[in-house]
């Protein structure tokens, strides 16, 4: 039987795993005494996903076991080095997650047919939605029978997409741009632009803000 101290240690480790799942940036700051068990835990998560879905996961990326990744053949999800996907995020391929990208809790990304590409270092905040497909609106056909098109979404490096922001199909977001909380982006965003509102419009330039 397990003694009280052993049960407490196991409970603390489980709690620590839950903390990392919801705040995965902490995984990359772990102290040495936690590093060994956390890396072994992630190896198990990676192995399970790789056996079930068409995914390519870099050994150094973090995937919360509570995340939902679906990647049928032809809809591969690739996750680069140092990237992280938090608890209850939903990803449906094809999706390319670049190095050091973070996808936070409850974000929702669907690559449609054309796919989503996320550039290096991009940050996607809680509840953001990126859908790389759209339904047509022919009034002669019921909504349920409308054809679907997909043009894809491209996000440059070092982009910040705020909480509950929405990015629609066909949009490209330039390097260094910032998408404000709750913004709905329906057209391309230039590099370094700060956009907000619904539909989103340019409200500033990141290069004009003091360091």
């Amino acid at each position: 039987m397990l003694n009280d101290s052993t049960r407490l240690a196991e409970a603390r480790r489980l709690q620590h795993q839950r903390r990392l799942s919801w705040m995965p940036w902490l995984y990359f700051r772990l102290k040495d005494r936690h590093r060994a068990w956390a890396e072994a835990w992630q190896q198990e998560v990676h192995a399970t996903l790789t056996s079930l879905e068409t995914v390519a996961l870099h050994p150094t990326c973090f995937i919360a076991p509570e995340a939902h990744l679906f990647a049928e053949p032809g809809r591969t999800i690739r996750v680069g080095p140092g990237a992280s996907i938090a608890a209850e995020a939903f990803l449906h391929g094809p999706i390319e997650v670049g190095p050091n990208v973070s996808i936070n809790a409850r974000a929702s990304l669907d690559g449609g047919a054309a796919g989503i590409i996320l550039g290096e270092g991009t940050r996607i905040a809680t509840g953001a939605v990126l859908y790389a497909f759209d339904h047509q609106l022919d009034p002669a056909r019921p909504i349920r029978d409308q054809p679907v098109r997909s043009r894809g979404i491209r996000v440059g490096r070092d982009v910040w997409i705020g909480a509950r922001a929405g990015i629609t199909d066909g949009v490209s977001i330039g390097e260094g741009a910032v998408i404000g909380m709750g913004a709905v982006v329906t057209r391309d965003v230039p590099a370094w632009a700060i956009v907000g509102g619904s539909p989103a419009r340019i409200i500033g330039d990141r290069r004009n803000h003091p360091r």
Side-chain angles (χ1 to χ4, degrees), residues 69-139:
L69 277 64
F70 302 102
E72 303 88 356
R75 289 181 173 269
T76 302
I77 295 175
R78 302 182 187 277
V79 185
S84 62
I85 300 174
E88 295 189 8
F90 163 77
L91 281 75
H92 183 210
I95 300 175
E96 298 277 346
V97 180
N100 302 312
V101 168
S102 69
I103 299 173
N104 281 336
R106 299 195 178 102
S108 184
L109 291 77
D110 194 311
I116 296 172
I117 297 176
L118 305 175
E120 180 177 358
T122 282
R123 296 293 189 257
I124 299 179
T126 298
V129 176
L130 289 76
Y131 277 3
F133 68 91
D134 200 0
H135 294 272
Q136 301 302 297
L137 300 175
D138 181 357

Side-chain angles (χ1 to χ4, degrees), residues 22-199:
W22 287 90
M23 296 178 284
W25 56 89
L26 298 175
Y27 175 77
F28 303 102
R29 305 175 190 171
L30 284 172
K31 296 179 180 178
D32 290 341
R33 69 176 184 270
H34 298 303
R35 176 64 55 188
W37 66 255
E39 289 181 349
W41 170 54
Q42 276 298 292
Q43 288 171 6
E44 293 177 1
V45 173
H46 286 204
T48 298
L49 270 173
T50 301
S51 69
L52 298 174
E53 298 289 339
T54 310
V55 295
L57 309 176
H58 192 276
T60 63
C61 76
F62 177 90
I63 310 291
E66 302 89 349
H68 309 293
L69 277 64
F70 302 102
E72 303 88 356
R75 289 181 173 269
T76 302
I77 295 175
R78 302 182 187 277
V79 185
S84 62
I85 300 174
E88 295 189 8
F90 163 77
L91 281 75
H92 183 210
I95 300 175
E96 298 277 346
V97 180
N100 302 312
V101 168
S102 69
I103 299 173
N104 281 336
R106 299 195 178 102
S108 184
L109 291 77
D110 194 311
I116 296 172
I117 297 176
L118 305 175
E120 180 177 358
T122 282
R123 296 293 189 257
I124 299 179
T126 298
V129 176
L130 289 76
Y131 277 3
F133 68 91
D134 200 0
H135 294 272
Q136 301 302 297
L137 300 175
D138 181 357
R141 303 175 68 172
I143 289 294
R144 68 178 183 273
D145 295 331
Q146 296 288 340
V148 175
R149 71 176 182 185
S150 177
R151 295 175 292 170
I153 294 173
R154 305 291 181 267
V155 180
R157 63 177 298 278
D158 195 33
V159 170
W160 178 11
I161 298 176
R164 298 189 301 279
I167 314 295
T168 62
D169 182 41
V171 166
S172 292
I173 299 176
E175 172 183 356
V178 175
I179 311 301
M181 178 185 291
V184 179
V185 182
T186 60
R187 61 185 65 184
D188 291 352
V189 176
W192 304 103
I194 302 171
V195 304
S198 179

Side-chain angles (χ1 to χ4, degrees), residues 1-14:
M1 295 179 62
L2 300 177
N3 59 36
D4 289 345
S5 62
T6 302
R7 282 195 293 268
L8 180 58
E10 289 185 352
R12 284 176 172 167
R13 180 171 293 185
L14 288 171

